[in-house]
């Protein structure tokens, strides 16, 4: 077992629609990520994946539970303020929609350099522009894009700019919130290969959020499956795909397309009975590192 980097325990987050109505988006969620690991968080839209990531990054203020980063309780306001500079530089997030996460009125060079300027960092390559050019080349883009605006770039290029902006801070931990969901398949492959290269070369730790299980199987070491804000199953990726135990996980795995047309026609889709789901219960270890939500 590696060194623990991030630990989430019994996390709760609720959206308050008005004084009477509230929606529990994250319900008693627990998981951990070790240093150098790529942990995938999967589930259908609305399952609470993005909300959990925003809580981990202190973008949302949780209503219950604890989150620790390198042993620091980042849900404790005093501890967070004490370590704010480290937490804001060593943790970075890449959002799903690059159109809204990038300032459309700023040029690419300024977008990449902005976090460094805000953090009063001295660029390793002496000037912000040279640093932006280096990071842009690192993600496979030409320096000619430095003076372009985001609206002049394709979706894949904008997402690379967002990645370059995150990498400029030399982070230890990256949260990627469905970063390839809105891209063409060929561009998805390029971005995923870039993530794989970054993890292999620099040992970044990733929280990778997706609803496409094929992507998770390719990129991640371990994965957790969320449904209605609950973690229903977590295991090493190979174990999760070869031996899914929770009915919801089985339904997700059965929906993965098979490239062989003959086998695809024979593929049997499983349907998850939503009415049978019981949110009460707890994760129980059924095999080494393999946990499933069970009712006592």
């Amino acid at each position: 077992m590696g060194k623990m980097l991030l630990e989430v325990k019994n996390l709760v987050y609720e959206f308050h629609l008005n004084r009477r109505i509230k929606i529990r988006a994250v319900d008693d969620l627990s998981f951990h990520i070790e240093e150098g690991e790529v942990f995938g968080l999967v589930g259908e839209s609305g399952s609470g994946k993005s909300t959990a990531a925003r809580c981990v990054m202190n973008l949302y203020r949780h209503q219950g539970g604890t989150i620790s980063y390198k042993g620091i309780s980042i849900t404790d306001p005093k501890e967070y303020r004490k370590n704010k500079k480290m937490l804001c530089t060593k943790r970075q997030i890449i959002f799903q929609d690059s159109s809204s996460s990038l300032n459309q009125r700023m040029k690419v060079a300024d977008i990449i350099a902005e976090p460094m300027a805000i953090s009063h960092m001295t660029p390793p390559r002496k000037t912000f522009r040279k640093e932006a050019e280096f990071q842009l080349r690192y993600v496979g883009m030409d320096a000619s894009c430095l003076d372009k605006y985001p609206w002049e770039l394709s979706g894949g290029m904008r997402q690379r700019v967002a990645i370059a902006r995150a990498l400029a801070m030399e982070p230890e931990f990256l949260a990627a919130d469905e970063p390839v969901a809105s891209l063409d398949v060929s561009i998805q492959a390029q971005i995923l290969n870039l993530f794989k290269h970054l993890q292999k070369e620099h040992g970044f730790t990733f929280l990778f959020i997706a609803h496409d299980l094929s992507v998770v199987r390719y990129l991640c070491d371990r994965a957790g499956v969320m449904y209605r804000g609950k973690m229903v199953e977590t295991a090493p990726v190979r174990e999760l795909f070869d031996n899914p135990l929770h009915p919801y996980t089985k339904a997700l795995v059965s929906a993965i397309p098979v490239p062989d047309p003959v086998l695809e026609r024979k593929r049997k889709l499983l349907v998850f009975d939503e009415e049978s789901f019981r949110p009460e219960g707890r994760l129980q270890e059924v095999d080494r590192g393999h946990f499933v939500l069970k009712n006592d």
Side-chain angles (χ1 to χ4, degrees), residues 24 37 104 111-112 154 179 248 263 273 277 287:
R24 181 162 287 196
E37 183 180 39
Q104 300 297 312
I111 289 172
I112 296 174
S154 66
Y248 179 67
L263 295 176
D273 182 9
F277 179 68
D287 200 355

Side-chain angles (χ1 to χ4, degrees), residues 89-273:
T89 56
K90 295 302 181 183
R91 303 178 308 155
Q92 295 294 312
I93 184 168
I94 302 165
F95 295 98
Q96 176 182 354
D97 185 6
S98 57
S99 298
S100 59
S101 66
L102 302 180
N103 190 330
Q104 300 297 312
R105 296 185 177 185
M106 292 177 67
K107 293 182 179 180
V108 168
D110 299 323
I111 289 172
I112 296 174
E114 186 180 29
M116 292 183 287
I118 291 172
S119 300
H120 304 290
M121 288 178 59
T122 302
R125 287 153 195 91
K126 297 183 180 181
T127 68
F128 287 136
R129 186 174 179 85
K130 286 184 178 179
E131 185 66 27
E133 181 180 348
F134 173 83
Q135 297 297 345
L136 208 59
R137 290 186 184 278
Y138 193 76
V139 297
M141 290 179 66
D142 193 82
S144 61
C145 296
L146 284 171
D147 293 314
K148 291 185 177 181
Y149 292 94
W151 49 267
E152 297 181 277
L153 306 175
S154 66
M157 293 173 77
R158 284 197 303 269
Q159 198 62 282
R160 287 173 185 267
V161 171
I163 295 169
R165 177 176 62 180
L167 296 182
M169 300 299 290
E170 299 183 349
E172 303 171 324
F173 176 78
L174 280 172
D177 185 6
E178 300 196 33
V180 298
S182 59
L183 305 178
D184 294 337
V185 176
S186 60
I187 305 300
Q188 284 187 19
Q190 294 175 21
I191 299 296
L192 290 174
N193 286 332
L194 175 60
F195 280 139
K196 209 169 184 67
H197 169 75
L198 291 172
Q199 200 279 332
K200 184 178 180 180
E201 185 168 303
H202 297 284
F204 288 141
T205 304
F206 277 91
L207 171 60
F208 189 86
I209 296 169
H211 60 258
D212 185 342
L213 268 72
S214 300
V215 170
V216 171
R217 179 162 55 181
Y218 173 73
L219 187 65
C220 300
D221 302 307
R222 286 191 307 120
V225 181
M226 288 186 69
Y227 180 71
R228 292 186 183 176
K230 297 282 290 189
M231 186 77 82
V232 298
E233 188 165 359
T234 179
V237 164
R238 182 173 293 182
E239 172 72 14
L240 190 72
F241 282 88
D242 292 347
N243 185 32
L245 297 178
H246 194 275
Y248 179 67
T249 311
K250 290 179 180 179
L252 286 181
V253 172
S254 74
I256 300 175
V258 180
D260 188 320
V262 176
L263 295 176
E264 175 66 18
R265 284 193 292 270
K266 295 179 180 179
R267 180 167 60 96
K268 184 181 290 185
L269 285 173
L270 301 178
V271 179
F272 176 62
D273 182 9

